[in-house]
Amino acid sequence: MTYFKKISKTLLCFLLISFGLQAQENTLQDWPKDIVAGEHTITLYQPENTSYLDNKLSSNLAFGVKKKGQEPVFGMLWTTSILDVDRTNRHASLASVKIDEIRLPNDVSAEQKDKFENLINKEVPKWNIEFSLDDLLNTLTEVSITTSELNNMPPKIVYANEPTALILIDGEPKLKEVKKGYELVQNTGAFIIKKVKTNDFYLKGGDFWYKSKAAIGPYELTKKVPSKIKKISKKAEPEKKDESEPDKYSGAAPKITIASEPTELIVFDGEPKYSPLQNTNLLFVENTESNIFMDVVSQTYYVLLSGRWFTTKNIKGAWSYLDSDELPEDFKKISNESKKANILSSVPGTKEAKDAVYDAQIPQTAAVKKDTKATEVIYNGNPEFQNVEGLKLQYAINTESSVFKDKKVYYLCDNAIWFKSSTPNGPWQVSEDRPTEIEKVPASNPQYNTKYVYIYETSPTVVYVGYTPGYYGSYVYGPTVVYGTGFYYNPWYGGFYYHRHYSYGFAVRYNPYYGWSFGLSFGPPYLWYGHSYWG
């Protein structure tokens, strides 16, 4: 669905001066590093990165200044840096650095100190250094943590013992005519269409077709599909970008489960089978992609969904939310070479959890040219605004765009860039500031993710901006990260449907190497989602 598409946005300014981090081959220079400036050579030694606070990295390092034919003079530097970050390739590079303090030996004359300080202040900002983002995370001892107030009500959990696809319909099915005699269910990412004459619904996933007398099912596999429906389906499919990518699936057709509320599907290959986790009192269910555990001491079950832990005494009974710091201590004993090492990012007190929390504070950054154009904002009717709960700030309710009204100024957050205008329809110009109350927008508001798009610095030609993973749904909650706010956002207004963020339904899970990803209980190899006929 549209909100799950990878966000390719222009963005900037952030992070650090991790001069001395071990980086990928041919990326980082070895330490010490020499800077030749006329008759002087400045030798920089591997720094110590102490903190990343308020989007700035603090570091200190030893240096030496040597003039030809003379002994070197050694000292210390304290710096604060803002850097250009590429989260996709996990690299960062120096964008700007401020020298906070320089210390030299007492026996250096005042005249020499001034000369050395001027030399260092002139040469240090010229550093051209790239470094590994992941190595940086390993060195930091303090990071500003932005925590979120989220909704942790458990989703509905459904089970299956055979291949099954979960299809989400966002509330009551809403039909829209796409061709005379044919109506599409518009509030789902799957292709579900009704033939009005026969009152039959057809659902397509991959090469499979299903048929039902109701949008919500039950659906049965069918090979007889009206030719007009096949043509509509073909038109609705997204273009295939990679011709080498297989789109055929030769396995058995999965069963269909329809959900119209926050729901997660757990699929077992037959009845649940349990295996022990070494050096713990934990068992895990081995014949499922889901992360389900049992503590044999307390006979309690635990499941990890979208980064949140839920617990029950009866695996088929009701589940309740559990704060991650209340997990049994045995979860910390899971080996990082275990089959279930992937869940360590959701276990407080582990290195993986700390790295995930730190990583969630690091923005993707970019320098945005001030003449950058915004995407056209389309309203259904005249622009309508309402107050964000408890704030004077207003947001547009009859558009899919993120438009705010702050007093007499209108702001648009588009592709992780802030724009502003004197009217709700533009023209939009790249903004050097954000709405004054944007940081106070609660997670219950559908525009909550825009508060994670920042503006750092400006110049006559560019604005340095960045967004943290919160923009696409990754939030710090307590000592771990979770996916989605947990709130359900009503997608309907005035008879129009607007895509909103989901927290559940896609088996979303965290991987320390590339963040959040889909599970396989839906979608590949069935290719259920991606039709965009009505959009």
Side-chain angles (χ1 to χ4, degrees), residues 395-475:
Y395 71 103
I397 55 179
N398 62 331
T399 177
E400 280 197 316
S401 300
S402 299
V403 183
F404 297 87
K405 183 180 180 182
D406 188 356
K407 296 179 181 178
K408 295 182 179 181
V409 180
Y410 295 88
Y411 290 86
L412 166 66
C413 186
D414 178 49
N415 286 330
I417 304 171
W418 283 103
F419 297 85
K420 70 193 305 184
S421 174
S422 59
T423 78
N425 295 296
W428 300 99
Q429 295 184 334
V430 174
S431 179
E432 296 183 1
D433 63 336
R434 306 193 304 163
T436 53
E437 293 185 306
I438 195 67
E439 279 294 330
K440 298 179 182 178
V441 174
S444 56
N445 187 277
Q447 301 297 347
Y448 176 71
N449 66 313
T450 61
K451 70 184 289 182
Y452 294 92
V453 179
Y454 303 97
I455 298 170
Y456 300 119
E457 291 185 359
T458 63
S459 78
T461 57
V462 301
V463 175
Y464 297 100
V465 303
Y467 71 90
T468 60
Y471 185 51
Y472 52 87
S474 179
Y475 304 110

Coordinates of all heavy atoms in Angstrom, one line a residue, residues 395-475:
Y395 N -4.9 21.0 10.7 CA -4.4 20.2 9.6 C -5.6 19.9 8.7 O -6.7 19.9 9.1 CB -3.8 18.8 10.1 CG -4.8 17.9 10.7 CD1 -5.2 16.8 9.9 CD2 -5.4 18.0 11.9 CE1 -6.2 15.8 10.4 CE2 -6.3 17.1 12.4 CZ -6.7 16.0 11.7 OH -7.6 15.1 12.2
A396 N -5.2 19.8 7.4 CA -6.2 19.6 6.3 C -6.8 18.2 6.4 O -6.1 17.2 6.6 CB -5.6 19.8 5.0
I397 N -8.1 18.1 6.3 CA -8.8 16.8 6.5 C -9.4 16.2 5.2 O -9.8 15.1 5.2 CB -9.9 16.8 7.6 CG1 -10.9 17.9 7.2 CG2 -9.3 17.1 9.0 CD1 -12.0 18.1 8.3
N398 N -9.4 17.0 4.2 CA -10.0 16.5 2.9 C -8.9 16.4 1.8 O -9.1 16.8 0.6 CB -11.2 17.3 2.5 CG -10.8 18.7 2.2 OD1 -9.9 19.3 2.8 ND2 -11.6 19.4 1.3
T399 N -7.7 15.9 2.1 CA -6.7 15.6 1.2 C -5.7 14.5 1.7 O -5.7 14.4 3.0 CB -5.9 16.9 0.9 OG1 -4.8 16.6 0.0 CG2 -5.3 17.5 2.2
E400 N -5.0 13.9 0.8 CA -4.1 12.9 1.3 C -2.7 13.6 1.6 O -1.9 13.0 2.2 CB -3.8 11.8 0.2 CG -4.9 10.8 0.2 CD -4.5 9.5 -0.6 OE1 -3.9 9.7 -1.7 OE2 -4.7 8.4 -0.1
S401 N -2.6 14.8 1.2 CA -1.3 15.6 1.5 C -1.3 16.0 3.0 O -2.4 16.1 3.6 CB -1.2 16.8 0.6 OG -1.2 16.4 -0.7
S402 N -0.1 16.2 3.5 CA 0.1 16.6 4.9 C 0.2 18.2 4.9 O 1.3 18.7 4.8 CB 1.3 16.0 5.5 OG 1.2 14.6 5.5
V403 N -1.0 18.8 5.1 CA -1.1 20.3 5.0 C -1.5 20.8 6.4 O -2.4 20.3 7.0 CB -2.0 20.8 4.0 CG1 -2.0 22.3 3.9 CG2 -1.7 20.2 2.6
F404 N -0.8 21.8 6.9 CA -1.1 22.4 8.2 C -1.4 23.9 8.0 O -0.8 24.5 7.1 CB 0.1 22.2 9.2 CG 0.4 20.7 9.5 CD1 1.2 20.0 8.7 CD2 -0.2 20.1 10.6 CE1 1.5 18.7 9.0 CE2 0.1 18.8 10.9 CZ 0.9 18.1 10.1
K405 N -2.1 24.4 9.0 CA -2.4 25.8 9.1 C -1.9 26.3 10.4 O -2.4 25.9 11.4 CB -3.9 26.2 8.8 CG -4.1 27.7 8.8 CD -5.6 28.0 8.6 CE -5.9 29.5 8.6 NZ -7.4 29.8 8.5
D406 N -0.9 27.2 10.4 CA -0.4 27.7 11.6 C -0.6 29.3 11.6 O 0.1 30.0 10.9 CB 1.1 27.4 11.7 CG 1.8 27.8 13.1 OD1 1.0 28.4 13.9 OD2 3.0 27.6 13.3
K407 N -1.6 29.7 12.3 CA -2.1 31.1 12.2 C -2.5 31.4 10.8 O -3.4 30.8 10.2 CB -1.0 32.0 12.8 CG -0.8 31.8 14.3 CD 0.3 32.7 14.8 CE 0.5 32.4 16.3 NZ 1.6 33.3 16.9
K408 N -1.7 32.3 10.1 CA -2.1 32.6 8.7 C -1.1 32.0 7.7 O -1.2 32.3 6.5 CB -2.1 34.1 8.6 CG -3.1 34.9 9.4 CD -3.1 36.4 9.1 CE -4.2 37.1 10.0 NZ -4.2 38.5 9.7
V409 N -0.3 31.1 8.2 CA 0.7 30.5 7.3 C 0.3 29.0 7.1 O -0.1 28.3 8.0 CB 2.1 30.6 7.9 CG1 3.1 29.9 6.9 CG2 2.5 32.0 8.1
Y410 N 0.5 28.5 5.9 CA 0.2 27.1 5.5 C 1.5 26.4 5.3 O 2.4 26.9 4.6 CB -0.7 27.0 4.3 CG -2.1 27.6 4.5 CD1 -2.3 29.0 4.3 CD2 -3.1 26.8 4.9 CE1 -3.6 29.5 4.5 CE2 -4.4 27.4 5.2 CZ -4.6 28.7 4.9 OH -5.9 29.3 5.2
Y411 N 1.6 25.2 5.8 CA 2.8 24.4 5.7 C 2.4 23.0 5.0 O 1.3 22.5 5.3 CB 3.4 24.1 7.1 CG 4.1 25.2 7.7 CD1 3.3 26.1 8.5 CD2 5.4 25.5 7.6 CE1 3.9 27.2 9.1 CE2 6.0 26.6 8.2 CZ 5.2 27.5 9.0 OH 5.8 28.5 9.6
L412 N 3.3 22.5 4.2 CA 3.1 21.3 3.5 C 4.3 20.4 3.8 O 5.5 20.9 3.5 CB 2.9 21.4 2.0 CG 3.0 20.2 1.1 CD1 1.9 19.2 1.4 CD2 3.1 20.6 -0.3
C413 N 4.1 19.2 4.3 CA 5.2 18.3 4.5 C 5.1 17.3 3.3 O 4.2 16.4 3.3 CB 5.2 17.5 5.8 SG 6.6 16.5 6.1
D414 N 6.0 17.3 2.4 CA 5.9 16.6 1.1 C 7.3 15.9 0.9 O 8.3 16.6 0.7 CB 5.5 17.5 0.0 CG 5.5 16.7 -1.4 OD1 4.8 15.7 -1.4 OD2 6.1 17.2 -2.3
N415 N 7.3 14.6 0.8 CA 8.5 13.8 0.6 C 9.6 14.2 1.5 O 10.8 14.5 1.1 CB 9.0 14.0 -0.9 CG 8.2 13.2 -1.8 OD1 7.7 12.1 -1.5 ND2 8.0 13.7 -3.1
A416 N 9.3 14.4 2.8 CA 10.2 14.7 3.9 C 10.8 16.1 3.7 O 12.0 16.3 4.1 CB 11.2 13.6 4.0
I417 N 10.1 17.0 3.1 CA 10.6 18.4 2.9 C 9.4 19.3 3.4 O 8.3 19.1 3.0 CB 11.0 18.8 1.5 CG1 12.0 17.8 0.9 CG2 11.5 20.2 1.4 CD1 12.3 18.0 -0.6
W418 N 9.8 20.3 4.2 CA 8.7 21.3 4.6 C 8.7 22.4 3.6 O 9.7 23.0 3.2 CB 9.1 21.9 6.0 CG 8.7 20.9 7.1 CD1 9.6 20.1 7.8 CD2 7.4 20.6 7.6 NE1 8.9 19.4 8.7 CE2 7.6 19.7 8.6 CE3 6.1 21.1 7.3 CZ2 6.5 19.2 9.3 CZ3 5.1 20.6 8.0 CH2 5.3 19.7 9.0
F419 N 7.4 22.7 3.2 CA 7.1 23.9 2.3 C 6.2 24.8 3.0 O 5.5 24.4 4.0 CB 6.5 23.4 1.0 CG 7.4 22.5 0.1 CD1 7.4 21.2 0.4 CD2 8.1 23.1 -0.9 CE1 8.2 20.3 -0.4 CE2 8.9 22.2 -1.7 CZ 9.0 20.9 -1.5
K420 N 6.1 26.1 2.6 CA 5.1 27.0 3.2 C 4.5 27.8 2.1 O 5.1 28.0 1.0 CB 5.8 27.8 4.2 CG 6.8 28.8 3.8 CD 7.6 29.4 4.9 CE 6.8 30.0 6.0 NZ 7.7 30.7 7.0
S421 N 3.3 28.4 2.4 CA 2.6 29.3 1.5 C 1.7 30.1 2.3 O 1.3 29.9 3.4 CB 1.9 28.4 0.5 OG 1.0 29.2 -0.4
S422 N 1.2 31.2 1.6 CA 0.2 32.1 2.2 C -1.2 31.6 1.9 O -2.2 32.1 2.5 CB 0.4 33.5 1.7 OG 0.2 33.6 0.3
T423 N -1.4 30.5 1.1 CA -2.7 30.0 0.8 C -2.6 28.4 0.9 O -1.5 27.9 0.8 CB -3.2 30.3 -0.6 OG1 -2.5 29.5 -1.6 CG2 -2.9 31.8 -0.9
P424 N -3.7 27.8 1.1 CA -3.7 26.3 1.2 C -3.4 25.6 -0.1 O -3.1 24.4 -0.1 CB -5.1 25.9 1.7 CG -5.9 27.1 1.3 CD -5.1 28.3 1.3
N425 N -3.5 26.3 -1.2 CA -3.2 25.8 -2.5 C -1.9 26.1 -3.1 O -1.6 25.8 -4.3 CB -4.3 26.2 -3.5 CG -5.7 25.7 -3.1 OD1 -5.9 24.5 -3.1 ND2 -6.6 26.6 -2.8
G426 N -1.0 26.8 -2.3 CA 0.3 27.2 -2.8 C 0.2 28.6 -3.5 O -0.8 29.3 -3.3
P427 N 1.2 29.0 -4.3 CA 2.4 28.2 -4.6 C 3.3 27.9 -3.3 O 3.3 28.8 -2.4 CB 3.1 29.1 -5.6 CG 2.7 30.5 -5.2 CD 1.3 30.4 -4.8
W428 N 3.9 26.8 -3.4 CA 4.7 26.3 -2.2 C 6.2 26.6 -2.4 O 6.7 26.3 -3.5 CB 4.5 24.8 -2.0 CG 3.0 24.5 -1.7 CD1 2.1 24.0 -2.6 CD2 2.4 24.6 -0.5 NE1 0.9 23.8 -2.0 CE2 1.0 24.1 -0.7 CE3 2.7 25.0 0.8 CZ2 0.1 24.1 0.3 CZ3 1.7 25.0 1.8 CH2 0.4 24.5 1.5
Q429 N 6.8 27.1 -1.4 CA 8.2 27.3 -1.4 C 8.9 26.5 -0.3 O 8.3 26.4 0.8 CB 8.5 28.8 -1.3 CG 8.1 29.6 -2.4 CD 8.4 31.1 -2.3 OE1 8.6 31.6 -1.2 NE2 8.6 31.8 -3.4
V430 N 10.1 26.1 -0.5 CA 10.8 25.4 0.6 C 10.9 26.2 1.8 O 11.3 27.4 1.7 CB 12.2 25.0 0.1 CG1 13.0 24.3 1.2 CG2 12.1 24.0 -1.1
S431 N 10.5 25.7 2.9 CA 10.5 26.4 4.2 C 11.7 26.3 5.0 O 12.4 25.3 5.0 CB 9.3 25.9 5.0 OG 9.2 26.7 6.2
E432 N 12.0 27.4 5.7 CA 13.2 27.4 6.6 C 12.7 27.2 8.0 O 13.6 27.2 8.9 CB 13.9 28.8 6.5 CG 14.5 29.0 5.1 CD 15.3 30.3 5.1 OE1 15.4 31.0 6.1 OE2 15.8 30.6 4.0
D433 N 11.4 27.0 8.2 CA 11.0 26.7 9.6 C 9.8 25.7 9.5 O 9.3 25.4 8.4 CB 10.5 27.9 10.3 CG 9.4 28.7 9.7 OD1 9.2 28.5 8.4 OD2 8.7 29.4 10.3
R434 N 9.4 25.2 10.6 CA 8.3 24.2 10.7 C 7.1 24.9 11.5 O 7.3 25.9 12.2 CB 8.7 23.0 11.4 CG 9.9 22.3 10.9 CD 10.1 20.9 11.5 NE 10.2 20.8 12.9 CZ 10.0 19.7 13.6 NH1 9.7 18.6 13.0 NH2 10.1 19.8 15.0
P435 N 5.9 24.3 11.4 CA 4.8 24.8 12.3 C 5.2 24.8 13.7 O 5.9 23.9 14.2 CB 3.7 23.8 12.0 CG 4.0 23.2 10.7 CD 5.5 23.2 10.6
T436 N 4.8 25.9 14.4 CA 5.3 26.1 15.8 C 5.0 24.9 16.8 O 5.7 24.7 17.7 CB 4.8 27.4 16.4 OG1 3.4 27.4 16.2 CG2 5.4 28.6 15.6
E437 N 3.8 24.3 16.6 CA 3.4 23.3 17.5 C 3.5 21.8 16.9 O 3.0 20.9 17.5 CB 1.9 23.5 17.9 CG 1.7 24.7 18.7 CD 0.2 24.8 19.2 OE1 -0.7 24.8 18.3 OE2 0.0 25.0 20.4
I438 N 4.3 21.7 15.9 CA 4.4 20.4 15.3 C 5.0 19.3 16.2 O 4.6 18.1 16.2 CB 5.3 20.4 14.0 CG1 5.1 19.2 13.1 CG2 6.7 20.7 14.3 CD1 3.7 19.1 12.5
E439 N 5.8 19.7 17.1 CA 6.4 18.7 18.1 C 5.4 18.2 19.1 O 5.5 17.2 19.7 CB 7.6 19.3 18.8 CG 8.9 19.3 18.1 CD 9.4 17.9 17.9 OE1 9.2 17.1 18.7 OE2 10.1 17.7 16.9
K440 N 4.3 18.9 19.2 CA 3.2 18.5 20.2 C 2.1 17.7 19.5 O 1.2 17.3 20.2 CB 2.6 19.8 20.8 CG 3.6 20.7 21.5 CD 2.9 21.9 22.1 CE 3.8 22.8 22.8 NZ 3.1 24.0 23.3
V441 N 2.2 17.4 18.2 CA 1.2 16.6 17.6 C 1.2 15.2 18.2 O 2.2 14.5 18.3 CB 1.4 16.5 16.1 CG1 0.4 15.5 15.4 CG2 1.3 17.9 15.4
P442 N 0.0 14.7 18.7 CA 0.0 13.4 19.4 C -0.1 12.3 18.4 O -0.4 12.5 17.2 CB -1.3 13.5 20.2 CG -2.2 14.4 19.4 CD -1.3 15.4 18.8
A443 N 0.3 11.1 18.9 CA 0.3 9.9 18.0 C -1.1 9.5 17.5 O -1.2 8.8 16.6 CB 1.0 8.8 18.7
S444 N -2.1 10.0 18.2 CA -3.5 9.7 17.8 C -3.9 10.4 16.5 O -4.9 10.1 15.9 CB -4.4 10.0 18.9 OG -4.3 11.4 19.3
N445 N -3.0 11.4 16.1 CA -3.3 12.2 14.9 C -2.7 11.5 13.7 O -1.6 11.1 13.7 CB -2.8 13.6 15.0 CG -3.3 14.5 13.9 OD1 -2.6 14.5 12.8 ND2 -4.3 15.2 14.1
P446 N -3.4 11.4 12.5 CA -2.9 10.7 11.4 C -1.7 11.4 10.7 O -1.0 10.8 9.9 CB -4.1 10.7 10.4 CG -5.0 11.8 10.8 CD -4.8 11.9 12.3
Q447 N -1.4 12.7 11.1 CA -0.2 13.4 10.6 C 1.0 13.3 11.6 O 1.9 14.1 11.4 CB -0.6 14.8 10.3 CG -1.7 15.0 9.3 CD -1.3 14.4 7.9 OE1 -0.2 14.1 7.6 NE2 -2.3 14.2 7.0
Y448 N 0.9 12.4 12.5 CA 1.9 12.4 13.6 C 3.3 12.2 13.0 O 4.3 12.8 13.5 CB 1.6 11.2 14.5 CG 2.6 10.9 15.6 CD1 2.7 11.8 16.7 CD2 3.4 9.8 15.5 CE1 3.7 11.5 17.7 CE2 4.3 9.5 16.5 CZ 4.4 10.4 17.6 OH 5.4 10.1 18.6
N449 N 3.4 11.4 11.9 CA 4.8 11.1 11.4 C 5.5 12.3 10.9 O 6.8 12.3 10.9 CB 4.7 10.0 10.3 CG 4.0 10.6 9.1 OD1 2.9 11.2 9.2 ND2 4.6 10.3 7.9
T450 N 4.8 13.4 10.6 CA 5.5 14.6 10.0 C 6.4 15.3 11.1 O 7.2 16.1 10.7 CB 4.5 15.6 9.4 OG1 3.6 16.0 10.5 CG2 3.7 14.9 8.3
K451 N 6.1 15.1 12.3 CA 6.9 15.7 13.4 C 8.4 15.2 13.3 O 9.3 15.8 13.9 CB 6.3 15.5 14.8 CG 6.4 14.1 15.3 CD 5.7 13.9 16.6 CE 6.4 14.6 17.8 NZ 5.8 14.4 19.0
Y452 N 8.6 14.1 12.6 CA 10.0 13.6 12.6 C 10.7 14.0 11.3 O 11.7 13.5 11.0 CB 9.9 12.0 12.6 CG 9.4 11.5 13.9 CD1 8.0 11.3 14.1 CD2 10.2 11.3 15.0 CE1 7.5 10.9 15.4 CE2 9.8 10.9 16.2 CZ 8.4 10.7 16.4 OH 7.9 10.2 17.6
V453 N 10.2 15.1 10.7 CA 10.9 15.7 9.6 C 11.4 17.1 10.1 O 10.7 17.9 10.5 CB 10.0 16.0 8.4 CG1 10.7 16.7 7.2 CG2 9.4 14.6 7.9
Y454 N 12.7 17.3 10.0 CA 13.4 18.4 10.7 C 14.1 19.3 9.7 O 14.4 19.0 8.5 CB 14.4 17.9 11.7 CG 13.9 16.9 12.7 CD1 14.0 15.6 12.5 CD2 13.2 17.4 13.8 CE1 13.4 14.7 13.5 CE2 12.7 16.6 14.8 CZ 12.8 15.2 14.6 OH 12.3 14.3 15.6
I455 N 14.3 20.6 10.1 CA 15.1 21.5 9.4 C 16.3 21.9 10.3 O 16.1 22.3 11.5 CB 14.3 22.8 9.1 CG1 13.1 22.4 8.2 CG2 15.1 23.8 8.4 CD1 12.1 23.5 8.0
Y456 N 17.5 21.8 9.8 CA 18.7 22.0 10.6 C 19.4 23.3 10.4 O 19.6 24.0 11.3 CB 19.7 20.8 10.4 CG 19.1 19.5 10.7 CD1 19.0 18.5 9.8 CD2 18.6 19.2 12.0 CE1 18.5 17.2 10.1 CE2 18.1 18.0 12.3 CZ 18.0 17.0 11.3 OH 17.5 15.8 11.6
E457 N 19.7 23.6 9.2 CA 20.4 24.9 8.9 C 19.9 25.4 7.5 O 19.3 24.6 6.7 CB 21.9 24.6 8.8 CG 22.5 24.4 10.2 CD 24.0 24.3 10.1 OE1 24.6 24.4 9.0 OE2 24.6 24.1 11.2
T458 N 20.2 26.6 7.2 CA 19.8 27.2 5.9 C 21.0 28.0 5.4 O 21.9 28.4 6.1 CB 18.6 28.2 6.0 OG1 19.0 29.3 6.9 CG2 17.4 27.5 6.6
S459 N 21.0 28.1 4.1 CA 22.0 29.0 3.4 C 21.2 29.8 2.3 O 20.0 29.6 2.1 CB 23.1 28.1 2.8 OG 22.6 27.5 1.6
P460 N 21.9 30.7 1.6 CA 21.2 31.4 0.6 C 20.5 30.6 -0.5 O 19.6 31.0 -1.1 CB 22.3 32.3 0.0 CG 23.2 32.5 1.2 CD 23.2 31.2 1.8
T461 N 21.1 29.3 -0.7 CA 20.6 28.5 -1.8 C 19.9 27.2 -1.4 O 19.1 26.6 -2.2 CB 21.7 28.2 -2.8 OG1 22.8 27.5 -2.1 CG2 22.2 29.5 -3.4
V462 N 20.3 26.7 -0.2 CA 19.7 25.4 0.2 C 19.2 25.4 1.6 O 19.6 26.3 2.4 CB 20.8 24.3 0.1 CG1 21.3 24.1 -1.3 CG2 21.9 24.5 1.0
V463 N 18.4 24.5 2.0 CA 17.9 24.2 3.3 C 18.3 22.8 3.7 O 18.1 21.9 3.0 CB 16.4 24.4 3.4 CG1 15.9 24.0 4.9 CG2 15.9 25.8 3.1
Y464 N 19.0 22.7 4.8 CA 19.5 21.4 5.3 C 18.4 20.7 6.1 O 18.0 21.2 7.1 CB 20.8 21.5 6.1 CG 21.9 22.1 5.3 CD1 22.2 23.4 5.4 CD2 22.6 21.3 4.4 CE1 23.3 24.0 4.6 CE2 23.7 21.8 3.7 CZ 24.0 23.1 3.8 OH 25.0 23.7 3.0
V465 N 17.9 19.6 5.6 CA 16.8 18.9 6.2 C 17.1 17.5 6.5 O 18.1 16.9 6.0 CB 15.5 19.0 5.4 CG1 15.1 20.4 5.0 CG2 15.7 18.2 4.1
G466 N 16.2 16.8 7.3 CA 16.4 15.4 7.6 C 15.2 14.8 8.2 O 14.4 15.5 8.8
Y467 N 15.1 13.5 8.1 CA 14.0 12.8 8.7 C 14.5 11.6 9.4 O 15.4 10.9 8.9 CB 12.8 12.4 7.8 CG 13.2 11.3 6.8 CD1 12.9 10.0 7.1 CD2 13.7 11.6 5.6 CE1 13.2 9.0 6.2 CE2 14.0 10.6 4.6 CZ 13.7 9.3 5.0 OH 14.0 8.3 4.1
T468 N 14.0 11.3 10.6 CA 14.4 10.1 11.3 C 13.4 9.0 11.0 O 12.4 9.3 10.3 CB 14.4 10.3 12.9 OG1 13.0 10.7 13.3 CG2 15.4 11.4 13.3
P469 N 13.7 7.7 11.3 CA 12.8 6.6 11.0 C 11.3 6.8 11.4 O 10.5 6.1 10.9 CB 13.5 5.4 11.7 CG 14.9 5.8 11.6 CD 15.0 7.2 11.9
G470 N 11.1 7.7 12.4 CA 9.7 8.0 12.8 C 8.8 8.4 11.7 O 7.6 8.2 11.7
Y471 N 9.4 9.0 10.6 CA 8.7 9.5 9.5 C 8.0 8.3 8.7 O 6.9 8.5 8.2 CB 9.6 10.3 8.5 CG 8.8 10.9 7.4 CD1 7.7 11.7 7.6 CD2 9.3 10.7 6.1 CE1 7.0 12.3 6.5 CE2 8.6 11.3 5.0 CZ 7.5 12.1 5.2 OH 6.8 12.7 4.2
Y472 N 8.6 7.2 8.7 CA 8.0 6.1 8.1 C 7.6 4.9 9.1 O 7.5 3.8 8.7 CB 8.9 5.5 6.9 CG 10.3 5.2 7.3 CD1 10.6 3.9 7.8 CD2 11.3 6.1 7.1 CE1 11.9 3.6 8.1 CE2 12.6 5.8 7.4 CZ 12.9 4.5 7.9 OH 14.2 4.2 8.1
G473 N 7.4 5.3 10.3 CA 6.7 4.4 11.2 C 7.5 3.7 12.3 O 7.0 2.8 13.0
S474 N 8.8 4.0 12.4 CA 9.6 3.4 13.4 C 9.8 4.3 14.6 O 10.5 5.3 14.5 CB 11.0 3.0 12.8 OG 11.8 2.3 13.8
Y475 N 9.3 3.9 15.8 CA 9.3 4.7 16.9 C 10.0 4.1 18.1 O 10.0 2.9 18.3 CB 7.9 5.1 17.3 CG 7.1 5.7 16.2 CD1 6.0 5.0 15.6 CD2 7.4 7.0 15.7 CE1 5.3 5.5 14.6 CE2 6.6 7.5 14.7 CZ 5.6 6.8 14.1 OH 4.9 7.3 13.1

